[in-house]
Amino acid sequence: MAMQVKKTLLRRALEYKPILKSEKLNVWYGRVHALKDVDVIIPSKRITAIMGPSGCGKSTLLKAFNRLLEVEGARVEGKVYFHDVDIYSDSVDPYTIRRKIGMVFQKPIPLPMSIYDNVAYGLRVNGVKDKRLLDEVVRENLEKVGLWDEVKDRLRDSAFNLSGGQQQRLCIARALAVEPEVILLDEPTSSLDPASTKRIEELLKRLSGDYTIVIVTHNVHQAMRLAERVVFIFEGRIVEQGDAEEIFKNPRSILTKAYIKGDFS
């Protein structure tokens, strides 16, 4: 009983010590107001699922967390804090932010090079040339994503020779190789078969002990399987957020309740 109380207290403490948070975040694509006064909290070393219907702003919110919106030409107002530092401050280097807050996209995007070079890419860009170190990092991160035994004898093969599920795990290994603190995933299993989806979900559960994971999904059942915290967004606004178990069992908003029941998608 005492151990359960300690776990509950720790979970609540983490709830109020976010690694990422936004305040009055607004995003425009031209005249389209995609995010509206978004205040959101992402606790450290837990899996947070951002869910909502198509076109509601889920992916936009995810990209706001590592300044990818600038690449797309969006206009951003408001604050996004990473360790209490506003990442949109003029003094903050966006490339540094993107190393600390990695991104994995909906469709696997391996680089047009070998399996080995995909994982080593980020380190080489940052000036690492030591072959022994590169070998260690490549093996370590392929092992983390459960890919090492499948590819260890063909590391010099093209990454495009891998299956879709293997490519997605390779992309996760590439993101991990530069030692991020946060991993953002935009519907990473939507193009995968059920077996590959299961492997990715199991991988994310393992990684959550060491990394903060934020996953965008429109799949309520996936959010139920994975998330410890849920953010529900609708038409660019946060409807509710909090402990996943509480939201799925007793949502406060009728919109959240309808979405969980499948009354709209």
Side-chain angles (χ1 to χ4, degrees):
M1 185 68 178
M3 181 60 70
Q4 184 61 43
V5 170
K6 285 182 179 180
K7 288 182 178 179
T8 300
L9 290 174
L10 176 60
R11 185 168 66 245
R12 289 175 179 172
L14 287 172
E15 189 83 23
Y16 294 101
K17 291 185 178 179
I19 189 171
L20 275 170
K21 67 177 180 178
S22 69
E23 292 181 357
K24 300 299 179 184
L25 178 64
N26 286 270
V27 176
W28 288 265
Y29 292 102
R31 294 183 178 181
V32 177
H33 196 176
L35 292 181
K36 304 164 186 174
D37 293 327
V38 168
D39 295 340
V40 71
I41 291 173
I42 306 296
S44 178
K45 293 184 179 178
R46 297 176 71 186
I47 299 178
T48 297
I50 300 173
M51 65 180 195
S54 298
C56 68
K58 302 186 299 295
S59 295
T60 298
L61 178 56
L62 200 71
K63 293 172 185 176
F65 288 144
N66 74 345
R67 294 184 60 167
L68 273 180
L69 292 174
E70 293 169 286
V71 178
E72 298 182 347
R75 180 162 62 93
V76 181
E77 292 183 2
K79 307 287 187 182
V80 175
Y81 293 100
F82 175 57
H83 288 306
D84 297 322
V85 174
D86 180 13
I87 68 172
Y88 284 91
S89 169
D90 291 338
S91 62
V92 174
D93 176 15
Y95 297 102
T96 300
I97 290 298
R98 290 173 197 143
R99 284 198 298 271
K100 292 294 184 181
I101 306 174
M103 183 85 172
V104 177
F105 295 93
Q106 179 175 353
K107 183 179 179 181
I109 309 176
L111 300 172
M113 53 185 68
S114 72
I115 295 166
Y116 181 102
D117 290 337
N118 261 269
V119 183
Y121 179 80
L123 278 78
R124 286 176 169 154
V125 167
N126 289 306
V128 177
K129 298 179 180 179
D130 186 310
K131 179 67 164 56
R132 182 176 296 179
L133 176 58
L134 290 172
D135 287 349
E136 289 176 358
V137 170
V138 168
R139 176 167 184 159
E140 176 186 350
N141 287 285
L142 287 175
E143 286 178 340
K144 281 183 181 178
V145 302
L147 202 52
W148 174 254
D149 288 338
E150 299 172 34
V151 303
K152 63 184 178 182
D153 296 324
R154 51 190 180 116
L155 292 175
R156 298 301 173 185
D157 287 1
S158 170
F160 295 131
N161 292 338
L162 299 174
S163 69
Q166 288 175 323
Q167 287 184 11
Q168 193 64 293
R169 283 185 285 149
L170 178 66
C171 291
I172 295 172
R174 187 177 70 212
L176 295 176
V178 294
E179 299 183 336
E181 295 182 53
V182 181
I183 307 169
L184 310 174
L185 302 107
D186 191 358
E187 299 194 39
T189 63
S190 63
S191 63
L192 303 182
D193 60 83
S196 296
T197 294
K198 183 179 179 181
R199 295 195 72 167
I200 294 290
E201 290 182 357
E202 290 172 347
L203 167 61
L204 296 181
K205 289 178 181 178
R206 292 198 306 271
L207 293 176
S208 66
D210 298 310
Y211 304 89
T212 300
I213 294 174
V214 187
I215 179 171
V216 158
T217 182
H218 65 270
N219 186 323
V220 173
H221 295 291
Q222 182 172 69
M224 287 179 173
R225 290 192 298 267
L226 287 177
E228 297 162 90
R229 182 177 177 83
V230 166
V231 177
F232 178 61
I233 187 169
F234 181 73
E235 294 185 348
R237 297 186 185 275
I238 301 298
V239 176
E240 64 180 294
Q241 60 185 306
D243 181 82
E245 185 176 0
E246 292 179 6
I247 286 180
F248 286 127
K249 285 185 176 180
N250 188 30
R252 296 184 299 274
S253 168
I254 58 172
L255 282 173
T256 312
K257 185 175 183 179
Y259 186 78
I260 291 170
K261 289 176 62 180
D263 289 346
F264 66 96
S265 59

